[in-house]
Amino acid sequence: DAGITQSPRHKVTETGTPVTLRCHQTENHRYMYWYRQDPGHGLRLIHYSYGVKDTDKGEVSDGYSVSRSKTEDFLLTLESATSSQTSVYFCAISESGGSSGVRAFFGQGTRLTVV
Amino acid sequence: GQQLNQSPQSMFIQEGEDVSMNCTSSSIFNTWLWYKQDPGEGPVLLIALYKAGELTSNGRLTAQFGITRKDSFLNISASIPSDVGIYFCAGTDYGGSQGNLIFGKGTKLSVKP
């Protein structure tokens, strides 16, 4: 398995509270991604990073922010959690980007419930 | 935004049957990836394709990067019960950002009752 650790694995939080999910990698890969997975929607890209302090928005970035201060860590923050953000969140890593041979490997996921 | 259309949405398999699924995009892609996801797990990379026309196998799985660069297919030969799961295609748009790796909605493989 690729060295990817997501924490926490499960979390229940109240509407309006801030939440931070952590993705930690030991592979020294340049690219890191956050996806959410919901029934009927597949995997939707929230944000991605192509280097330390280099991030960009994905398809469903509203209500989410990210930070990458070290190569190995990519944090996803929900500033004020809403029930629509109840989902399973996956982190992925890739050594290369789109035109250079992307091969993304996924973590085990974090199940977040907003009540 | 960019979308991948994956079909079929679901299918039933009987052991020993061959299975085929495909993915299409509205724009040219420079990468096609195929993943399998089991319940409660993260997706696992099966096959990666980087050139138009490329045909790659991984055991009983074969995938091809369409010649138009707008589609890809995955075949599973002689299916077995452990092939059950959800299969996703993913790719990066040729004209898009390097990191914009998007996914189809998946094909769910189940066993015929």
Side-chain angles (χ1 to χ4, degrees):
Chain A
D1 290 343
I4 310 170
T5 305
Q6 289 187 232
S7 58
R9 292 294 312 280
H10 302 271
K11 185 169 182 66
V12 179
T13 191
E14 291 186 350
T15 299
T17 61
V19 176
T20 295
L21 307 183
R22 180 182 184 234
C23 179
H24 177 77
Q25 62 149 327
T26 57
E27 307 294 324
N28 201 35
H29 283 356
R30 180 181 172 194
Y31 288 80
M32 297 185 77
Y33 313 80
W34 276 108
Y35 290 88
R36 62 177 289 174
Q37 186 172 35
D38 306 287
H41 290 279
L43 289 142
R44 292 182 291 175
L45 183 62
I46 305 172
H47 283 279
Y48 63 92
S49 169
Y50 47 96
V52 173
K53 298 192 173 145
D54 292 324
T55 66
D56 206 347
K57 295 178 180 180
E59 177 190 358
V60 291
S61 59
D62 286 349
Y64 302 95
S65 63
V66 290
S67 67
R68 191 170 178 197
S69 58
K70 299 186 287 185
T71 299
E72 57 266 36
D73 290 325
F74 193 31
L75 303 180
L76 176 71
T77 297
L78 291 66
E79 301 293 344
S80 177
T82 67
S83 58
S84 65
Q85 293 175 312
T86 292
S87 187
V88 180
Y89 291 85
F90 285 100
C91 173
I93 65 173
S94 177
E95 192 169 18
S96 303
S99 63
S100 307
V102 59
R103 297 170 69 87
F105 299 93
F106 281 78
Q108 292 289 87
T110 293
R111 183 174 294 276
L112 176 68
T113 303
V114 183
V115 297
Chain B
Q2 187 56 256
Q3 285 189 342
L4 292 183
N5 296 308
Q6 192 171 345
S7 65
Q9 286 187 336
S10 62
M11 57 194 309
F12 289 89
I13 60 171
Q14 199 152 42
E15 188 170 353
E17 285 181 340
D18 295 344
V19 170
S20 185
M21 61 192 77
N22 69 77
C23 207
T24 60
S25 66
S26 56
S27 62
I28 293 171
F29 272 42
N30 58 19
T31 299
W32 286 100
L33 306 174
W34 285 93
Y35 289 83
K36 179 177 184 263
Q37 186 178 28
D38 293 322
E41 303 288 328
V44 173
L45 181 63
L46 299 172
I47 294 178
L49 303 160
Y50 304 113
K51 293 181 185 176
E54 182 179 358
L55 185 73
T56 297
S57 293
N58 178 5
R60 294 177 295 105
L61 277 61
T62 302
Q64 185 161 26
F65 193 137
I67 206 74
T68 65
R69 306 185 76 168
K70 292 185 177 182
D71 60 356
S72 177
F73 72 77
L74 175 70
N75 284 343
I76 306 173
S77 62
S79 57
I80 60 178
S82 61
D83 290 333
V84 163
I86 303 178
Y87 291 79
F88 292 98
C89 63
T92 53
D93 187 337
Y94 181 77
S97 165
Q98 291 285 301
N100 196 15
L101 178 63
I102 62 172
F103 279 73
K105 294 186 179 181
T107 294
K108 185 176 182 181
L109 246 58
S110 305
V111 176
K112 272 183 187 171

